[in-house]
Amino acid sequence: MDKRIQKVLTQKNFAFKYDGKESVCFTPKVEFKTVRNTADEREIRVRYIYDFGVAAEKKIIYYKRLDSVYERFSLENLTDEITEKFSDIRDFCHEFAFDPPTESGIGDMLKEDNVRLFSYMGSVLRHDEFLPAYQYLYKNYSEDITNGTGRSSDSRMPYFNINRLDEGVVVAIGWSGCWKASVKRTEKGVLFTSGVAGAEFFLEPRERVELTSVLITGYDDGYQDGQNRFRNVMKRRAAEIGHIKGPEDLPFSILLWGAMPSDKQIALIEKVTDAGIPINYVWMDAGWYGYSTGRCINEHEGDWGAHTGSWVVNKNYHPDGLLDVSRTIKERGFKYLLWFEPERVIKGTDVTKHHPDWFFKREDTTWLINYGNEEALQGTFEMLSNYIETLGLSCYRQDFNVDPLPYWNKADETGRAGITQIKHINGLYRLWDMLLERFPHLTIDNCASGGRRLDFELMSRSLSVTRSDYQCGFDPDEMSFQNHTMGSLALLPYLGTYAGYPGWEMTKYSVRSCYAPTFSFKTFCYENWSEHPQEEIDNVKKFAEEYVSLKPYFVADFYNLNMPWVTEGAWGIVSGNRTTPDETVWCAMQFNRKEEGDGIILAFRRERSPYSTADFILHGLDKDKTYELTDVDTGKVETISGEELAEKGYTVEIREKKDCRLIKYRAI
C-alpha cells in the first residue's frame, strides 16, 4: 500500500467550525462499521458523534489493487432542535507527506526534485481546454482554488496531481456544483483541503446532507502512470455504477438534428445502413420537442430553443411522435441516444405552466429546476422514464446550459448559505442513480454546454459524447481537437467528440484528430446540407471502419508523448507567462494495452511544423520483449526491443505538413 494512501485511510480527514469553534475542540464518540471486505475492495463507515447532537460520517472505499481511496463526507442532525452554524467546512482535509520545501526563488523553484502541483483548464470554449499546467510548491506556498460558476469543470477541472519526481498522488474532488480547494506547502508535505464553496449553514431538526467526496490515487511509477492508475479507478467505478464495461458500450454514432423531419431522418438512417457504415448508435440532438412550426434548420436558427421545457414530441416535424424513427433505429440494429435538458427550462413552456413551484426564478426567462424539491425530482424521473421506455432509448443525454450558482445563492435561506446547492446536487445524483437502477441497460451521456460538469461523481455514472462545445462551430480546427484529446484523456477514460462539417475536408489528418473513446459523424446532421454523394459516403465508411478497428485501444492506458507541453503558471495558478502548444509543435499520443502487449501511436505533424521527424519514448512496454511496429499508412514494418523503445524511443517520419501517421505495435 502506498504510504500516503495508508495515512488517508487511518486519519480523520475532515474539519469544520461549529458555533465558531474548531471541530478539534470537541471529542466525538467514534463508531466504525465494515460494510464489505473482499480481496479487492474494502468499504467502511466511520461516524463521529458529537455531544452537541450531530454525526459527521465518512463513507470510505479502498480499492486495493489500484491503491485508491474514495471518501464522501456527510453531516446529520440527530436532534429535534436546530443546530448552531457550521462554517469553514473542510469535507476533506489531509496533509500528504513530501520532503521539506525549499525557499522561494527562481533557482530553488526549478530544482528537479521539488514538489509540483498539476492543475487542468476546464471547458471554456478555447483551443487549449483540459491541458495541464504545473506550479512548484516552494516554502510557504498556498492557494485557494474554485470553479466559481456552479458547474464543476467550468474554467477549472476538479482534478489535481501533487507530484515529486516519480511519486505523488492524484486527488479528484467529487462535486457537481461549486467546489473549493486549498493547497498549502508545509514543512512535512502538502496540505490539501476541499469542500462546497461558500457553504455555511445550520441544520434543521433530523436533517442530513451529503457533501463532497474525494478520489485519491497514490503512485510511485511516474506522473503519467499515476494518471493511468486513476483512470483505471474511474473505469471500475463507471462499470459498477454507470453500466459502462468496455468499448462495446461506448457510442459510435451519426448525429441528427432533432428538428429534421422524421421522414428525412429515416431516409438517412437507411442510407447509412445500406452503405454498411459500422456505427452502433443514432444520436438525435435538441430541437425534437415543443411546438415550433417554422424551419429550425440547425441549433443556430429558428425558435426551437424557446420550447425547452415543453417535453412533448413536436408533431410538426415528427407526426408519429418519433415512434417510426425509433422503430427504424431498432430494425437497423442500432441504439438510440436522445437529448434532453430538464434542469434549465424557458418560462412559458409546459412544465413551467403546470409546475411553477418546481423552479428557481430570476428576472430573465430562464428557470432552473430545484432537485431539492421531491416532487420536481420524481416528476423529472417519470418523464424521462416514459421516454426511455416508449422510444426504447439506450442512452439518455442530459445537457445543462446555464450557470446555476446565482439561482442557488438567491434561493438560500438566511443563515443557510450553500444549502440550496447541496440539496440540488444530492437530488441530481439521486435522479441518475434511480434511472440507472430502473434501466440496467441505460447509459447516461453527460453534457453541460459540452464538458462543464466532468467531475468524477457524474463521470462515475456517465460518459461524455461531447467533451467541449468549442467544436459546435462550423469551422473547427484540428489542432484544438488534438489538444482536447491530449488533455482530457489524461484525466478521464470515456470522453469524445465528432467529425464531419460542411466544407471540412475529411482527410486522415482531420478525422484522426477527432478519434476518441466515443466518436460521432456530424456529416448527416442537418437537412439543408448536401445530398451526400457516393464519394462522401465511401469516405465516411472508410474512416468508420478504421475507427472501429481502433476503438478497443482508445480505452487503454493513455500517454501524452509531448510532455514538454506542460507549462508553468497557467490557468491563474500564479501570475506569469503562459505558453500553449501551437502549429509548430507535433502532437503524439500512445494508447497501450499492457495485458495484450499491443497498442497504437497517433502522431500529427502540424501545419507550421518545420520538423519532418520526431523521436518518442514509448511507455508501458515490457523491456524484455521485442515489438513489431507497423506504419499503417506507409506499410513500413520494424522490429525493435522494448528496452530500446522505452529508453531511446521510436522515430516517426512525416514528410508533408498537416499529415499524420498511425502506427500499430505488438509484442512478438
Side-chain angles (χ1 to χ4, degrees), residues 412-561:
D412 279 338
E413 306 166 38
T414 302
R416 300 255 285 169
I419 203 71
T420 304
Q421 174 188 173
I422 291 166
K423 290 182 177 295
H424 181 96
I425 298 302
N426 286 182
L428 173 64
Y429 297 156
R430 278 189 59 210
L431 173 64
W432 284 21
D433 290 344
M434 289 190 299
L435 289 171
L436 291 167
E437 181 179 3
R438 182 164 175 175
F439 302 103
H441 73 283
L442 186 69
T443 298
I444 296 176
D445 173 18
N446 170 13
C447 181
S449 303
R452 302 199 183 206
R453 213 154 56 166
L454 300 180
D455 60 278
F456 85 80
E457 282 289 355
L458 285 191
M459 294 310 297
S460 298
R461 297 165 168 86
S462 66
L463 49 80
S464 182
V465 170
T466 49
R467 65 201 171 192
S468 172
D469 267 3
Y470 183 86
Q471 64 206 14
C472 284
F474 290 156
D475 57 347
D477 61 279
E478 296 91 348
M479 186 183 73
S480 297
F481 290 122
Q482 296 162 15
N483 289 349
H484 295 174
T485 298
M486 296 287 267
S488 66
L489 289 193
L491 295 170
L492 295 164
Y494 300 137
L495 306 173
T497 186
Y498 47 73
Y501 301 80
W504 196 65
E505 186 179 3
M506 292 184 64
T507 64
K508 286 188 303 181
Y509 185 85
S510 64
V511 178
R512 287 177 180 171
S513 294
C514 303
Y515 283 172
T518 73
F519 181 52
S520 306
F521 281 105
K522 199 174 182 179
T523 312
F524 311 100
C525 191
Y526 307 113
E527 63 175 299
N528 65 320
W529 283 12
S530 73
E531 293 301 317
H532 310 295
Q534 190 61 43
E535 180 182 1
E536 181 182 57
I537 297 291
D538 292 343
N539 208 23
V540 171
K541 181 180 180 182
K542 177 184 69 174
F543 286 114
E545 289 175 342
E546 179 178 83
Y547 174 76
V548 168
S549 74
L550 301 176
K551 193 176 181 182
Y553 296 106
F554 293 127
V555 300
D557 284 349
F558 171 81
Y559 295 95
N560 178 341
L561 300 183

Side-chain angles (χ1 to χ4, degrees), residues 540-646:
V540 171
K541 181 180 180 182
K542 177 184 69 174
F543 286 114
E545 289 175 342
E546 179 178 83
Y547 174 76
V548 168
S549 74
L550 301 176
K551 193 176 181 182
Y553 296 106
F554 293 127
V555 300
D557 284 349
F558 171 81
Y559 295 95
N560 178 341
L561 300 183
N562 293 71
M563 280 305 292
W565 282 15
V566 177
T567 58
E568 182 184 353
W571 332 153
I573 294 177
V574 294
S575 60
N577 296 326
R578 173 171 161 258
T579 59
T580 57
D582 60 26
E583 294 183 17
T584 67
V585 180
W586 278 42
C587 167
M589 58 192 81
Q590 177 191 359
F591 298 87
N592 184 62
R593 299 198 301 179
K594 192 168 186 178
E595 292 184 2
E596 291 83 354
D598 65 0
I600 62 172
I601 303 164
L602 278 171
F604 301 88
R605 180 182 176 185
R606 289 175 165 172
E607 190 168 20
R608 295 191 294 112
S609 174
Y611 313 108
S612 60
T613 63
D615 295 337
F616 298 108
I617 299 294
L618 301 189
H619 302 266
L621 306 185
D622 187 333
K623 292 185 179 181
D624 296 327
K625 292 185 177 180
T626 299
Y627 289 82
E628 180 183 85
L629 297 97
T630 302
D631 187 321
V632 173
D633 300 304
T634 66
K636 181 180 179 181
V637 179
E638 297 178 80
T639 301
I640 306 174
S641 72
E643 182 177 16
E644 181 176 345
L645 292 170

Side-chain angles (χ1 to χ4, degrees), residues 173-241:
I173 301 172
W175 189 248
S176 306
C178 191
W179 49 267
K180 65 178 180 180
S182 176
V183 180
K184 183 176 182 179
R185 188 64 161 108
T186 67
E187 285 297 325
K188 295 181 180 180
V190 177
L191 178 63
F192 186 95
T193 67
S194 58
V196 179
E200 189 172 291
F201 51 80
F202 59 82
L203 290 174
E204 299 281 1
R206 304 293 171 179
E207 184 176 28
R208 184 176 188 274
V209 290
E210 295 275 351
L211 300 172
T212 67
S213 57
V214 290
L215 185 58
I216 303 165
T217 301
Y219 64 88
D220 58 9
D221 46 5
Y223 168 85
Q224 296 214 74
D225 281 308
Q227 293 289 119
N228 276 313
R229 187 173 298 175
F230 174 79
R231 293 174 73 252
N232 286 328
V233 180
M234 288 303 302
K235 291 178 192 176
R236 174 171 179 156
R237 290 181 58 82
E240 293 176 347
I241 303 171

Side-chain angles (χ1 to χ4, degrees), residues 356-401:
D357 55 324
W358 287 7
F359 296 92
F360 302 121
K361 310 171 185 70
R362 297 179 70 197
E363 289 72 22
D364 59 20
T365 60
T366 300
W367 290 11
L368 177 70
I369 204 165
N370 176 12
Y371 281 152
N373 180 322
E374 186 66 21
E375 185 180 332
L377 180 65
Q378 293 296 331
T380 303
F381 173 68
E382 292 302 328
M383 181 272 290
L384 294 172
S385 296
N386 178 63
Y387 273 108
I388 292 167
E389 290 175 336
T390 302
L391 297 179
L393 302 182
S394 294
C395 187
Y396 157 59
R397 176 175 172 84
Q398 179 165 322
D399 209 341
F400 188 44
N401 294 298

Side-chain angles (χ1 to χ4, degrees), residues 87-327:
S87 61
D88 194 16
I89 307 169
R90 288 143 281 170
D91 304 340
F92 179 75
C93 179
H94 185 81
E95 186 177 47
F96 295 101
F98 285 95
D99 287 348
T102 59
E103 296 289 340
S104 63
I106 296 299
D108 293 320
M109 288 169 61
L110 298 180
K111 285 185 177 179
E112 184 182 6
D113 63 350
N114 212 333
V115 177
R116 297 180 293 179
L117 172 69
F118 286 83
S119 181
Y120 308 84
M121 179 180 280
S123 186
V124 286
L125 295 179
R126 288 176 55 126
H127 77 285
D128 50 1
E129 291 176 33
F130 311 121
L131 290 179
Y134 63 81
Q135 168 62 39
Y136 283 102
L137 302 188
Y138 52 83
K139 187 175 182 179
N140 297 324
Y141 172 91
S142 69
E143 182 187 7
D144 296 324
I145 309 166
T146 183
N147 59 322
T149 68
R151 291 187 288 180
S152 57
S153 55
D154 189 352
S155 72
R156 294 293 290 269
M157 296 288 278
Y159 301 90
F160 304 89
N161 191 321
I162 306 170
N163 165 268
R164 178 187 177 274
L165 299 176
D166 285 338
E167 64 175 351
V169 287
V170 180
V171 185
I173 301 172
W175 189 248
S176 306
C178 191
W179 49 267
K180 65 178 180 180
S182 176
V183 180
K184 183 176 182 179
R185 188 64 161 108
T186 67
E187 285 297 325
K188 295 181 180 180
V190 177
L191 178 63
F192 186 95
T193 67
S194 58
V196 179
E200 189 172 291
F201 51 80
F202 59 82
L203 290 174
E204 299 281 1
R206 304 293 171 179
E207 184 176 28
R208 184 176 188 274
V209 290
E210 295 275 351
L211 300 172
T212 67
S213 57
V214 290
L215 185 58
I216 303 165
T217 301
Y219 64 88
D220 58 9
D221 46 5
Y223 168 85
Q224 296 214 74
D225 281 308
Q227 293 289 119
N228 276 313
R229 187 173 298 175
F230 174 79
R231 293 174 73 252
N232 286 328
V233 180
M234 288 303 302
K235 291 178 192 176
R236 174 171 179 156
R237 290 181 58 82
E240 293 176 347
I241 303 171
H243 305 165
I244 305 168
K245 296 180 173 61
E248 66 278 1
D249 295 320
L250 303 178
F252 172 36
S253 58
I254 58 167
L255 168 57
L256 302 178
W257 175 237
M260 182 192 296
S262 286
D263 58 340
K264 295 187 177 182
Q265 291 194 1
I266 290 170
L268 280 171
I269 294 167
E270 292 173 343
K271 179 178 286 191
V272 167
T273 310
D274 294 342
I277 298 173
I279 60 167
N280 63 348
Y281 265 89
V282 173
W283 159 16
M284 186 183 297
D285 212 52
W288 55 267
Y289 48 84
Y291 307 101
S292 296
T293 56
R295 293 185 70 198
C296 298
I297 297 174
N298 56 53
E299 62 263 44
H300 306 293
E301 301 182 40
D303 67 342
W304 66 273
H307 297 262
T308 304
S310 290
W311 300 119
V312 294
V313 178
N314 190 324
K315 294 297 184 70
N316 294 307
Y317 308 138
H318 310 293
D320 196 34
L322 288 176
L323 293 174
D324 48 356
V325 175
S326 172
R327 186 164 52 250

